[in-house]
Amino acid sequence: MNFHRRTVLGGLASLAVPLPALVKPAGAADKVKIGFLLKTMQEERYQRDKAAFLAKAKALGAEVVFDSANNDEQAQLAAFENMLSRGARAIVLQPVNTGTAGGMVTSAHKSGVKVIGYDAMLLNGPLDAMVMQDSWAVGKLQAEAMVAWLKAKYGSVKGNVVLIRGQPGDSNANTMSSGVLEVLKANPGLKLVADQSHEGWSPDKAMATIENLLVKSGNKIDAIICNNSGMARGVIAALDAQGLASAEKVFVAGSDADLVNIQYVAQGKQAVDIWKKINPLAESAAEIAVTLATHPDKDAKSLVKADRVINNGAVDVPTLVTPVVLVDKNNLNQTIIAEGFYTHKQVYGK
């Protein structure tokens, strides 16, 4: 894919151009049906995605058919076909397999149904629009924080680094990882001792990977960067068994800002996590879905004011990009808590 990158300054990425008010609340007579299909509800964040999407769609007068697929490609295909049969006029899709989901889009188009990608760009399919965070910026923020941590600890940027990826071949995992690898390439003192993908974004498999690497290396791992928060929890569990679950001993980065991970950051077990602001992502997706569903004869490019255009191997996809924020122990109160994502009591227990 041809991702047009933007520079991220000061550890805070605010990349989205505000979405204009494309739609107005619909009356009962013109209620439109849209679908929202997530790949999983495994991670805590997806409860927020679902709630924000449903609330926005309801405010716009739309009816939502919701489902998730437990990271199962065939289950997602069945759910997608069910949404088509139930009369959804636009479907927001977070694909389980970004490499093969294009066939679902082609099938939807035959029925005159628009498809909006969500969170992870599917490849080689005629997607109508896309709403996502800047995944490359996520990886870059993680790796830049690691570089600063290593320099503070050793006086120079050196050390053994592990990259924990999500689903093999997933476009989101690959793009996040590319941001990490770019920083590694610019710092020759860093040694990438493992770069491992994990089926189903599994925390247990991530834990097993780190357990094995700790044995093989004699615990000589300096930094571990994970594509999501769930796998970071698995990593922390493996480190904890060796007395290494400390942000002073091993740098660990996650991404999704699940509550447990933010608690780990506050406790000093995990160095950083990336907060992907959920409400702008889910609400923008709902707005676009309603807009495309109520204007079936218009091209999406004429209706969606995109931040950028991304070629997914088949078409140029108008894409909205929403903010990501690096969270560490120093800025936790000023970011996640100040903006109401979690309360002080949730994070600190008091």
Side-chain angles (χ1 to χ4, degrees):
M1 289 184 293
N2 182 22
F3 282 85
H4 303 293
R5 299 171 180 170
R6 297 183 181 184
T7 303
V8 181
L9 300 175
L12 299 179
S14 183
L15 304 178
V17 175
L19 182 67
L22 296 174
V23 293
K24 297 179 180 179
D30 56 358
K31 180 172 283 194
V32 65
K33 185 179 290 186
I34 59 176
F36 187 33
L37 179 52
L38 293 174
K39 65 181 180 181
T40 182
M41 295 298 286
Q42 175 177 282
E43 279 73 46
E44 172 192 304
R45 62 155 283 196
Y46 290 122
Q47 295 293 341
R48 292 179 179 268
D49 292 72
K50 178 183 178 182
F53 186 97
L54 292 178
K56 187 64 175 180
K58 182 179 179 180
L60 296 172
E63 177 184 347
V64 178
V65 181
F66 174 82
D67 211 339
S68 64
N70 196 30
N71 283 316
D72 184 308
E73 188 176 350
Q74 291 305 311
Q76 185 164 68
L77 175 59
F80 190 87
E81 291 175 343
N82 180 56
M83 288 181 179
L84 292 176
S85 70
R86 292 176 64 180
R89 303 313 305 158
I91 297 175
V92 176
L93 171 66
Q94 182 196 38
V96 171
N97 187 329
T98 56
T100 61
M104 287 190 279
V105 184
T106 300
S107 173
H109 281 186
K110 290 178 181 177
S111 300
V113 175
K114 303 290 179 68
V115 181
I116 301 93
Y118 189 80
D119 193 43
M121 175 73 79
L122 65 84
L123 307 178
N124 301 315
L127 201 60
D128 295 287
M130 181 75 203
V131 181
M132 65 188 297
Q133 289 107 0
D134 191 327
S135 296
W136 174 82
V138 169
K140 190 168 187 284
L141 284 171
Q142 291 175 314
E144 287 176 340
M146 174 192 67
V147 165
W149 184 92
L150 290 167
K151 191 170 184 179
K153 183 174 183 178
Y154 296 121
S156 62
V157 184
K158 62 180 182 180
N160 294 327
V161 181
V162 177
L163 177 56
I164 298 294
R165 299 191 190 221
Q167 181 76 18
D170 183 87
S171 65
N172 221 15
N174 287 343
T175 306
M176 281 188 279
S177 299
S178 72
V180 176
L181 295 173
E182 183 169 306
V183 174
L184 290 176
K185 186 177 180 181
N187 291 275
L190 300 176
K191 182 180 180 183
L192 185 62
V193 295
D195 179 352
Q196 181 68 46
S197 296
H198 297 82
E199 194 79 31
W201 303 74
S202 168
D204 290 340
K205 291 177 181 177
M207 179 174 68
T209 294
I210 297 303
E211 288 172 341
N212 291 334
L213 287 170
L214 288 171
V215 171
K216 290 178 182 178
S217 70
N219 287 351
K220 295 187 184 303
I221 296 175
D222 297 291
I224 305 166
I225 296 181
C226 308
N227 283 167
N228 79 353
S229 293
M231 293 187 300
R233 292 195 295 277
V235 165
I236 294 289
L239 292 172
D240 200 28
Q242 298 297 317
L244 296 172
S246 166
E248 294 183 0
K249 296 178 180 179
V250 180
F251 175 94
V252 177
S255 171
D256 278 337
D258 286 352
L259 177 58
V260 171
N261 297 80
I262 297 303
Q263 291 170 338
Y264 285 165
V265 171
Q267 294 161 9
K269 287 185 174 184
Q270 183 175 323
V272 304
D273 212 281
I274 304 296
W275 176 27
K276 303 174 180 178
K277 296 191 177 185
I278 302 301
N279 283 9
L281 185 77
E283 291 173 0
S284 295
E287 286 190 351
I288 292 174
V290 174
T291 298
L292 299 190
T294 52
H295 298 84
D297 298 327
K298 291 190 176 181
D299 182 63
K301 293 182 179 67
S302 69
L303 296 170
V304 178
K305 185 177 180 181
D307 297 311
R308 64 186 73 173
V309 173
I310 297 175
N311 187 282
N312 73 345
V315 294
D316 289 332
V317 184
T319 303
L320 270 74
V321 184
T322 59
V324 295
V325 177
L326 178 79
V327 177
D328 62 20
K329 198 170 184 177
N330 294 323
N331 75 352
L332 197 162
N333 290 346
Q334 292 75 39
T335 55
I336 278 192
I337 292 177
E339 295 193 38
F341 194 72
Y342 296 125
T343 66
H344 190 279
K345 185 174 182 179
Q346 284 177 303
V347 173
Y348 296 100
K350 56 185 178 181

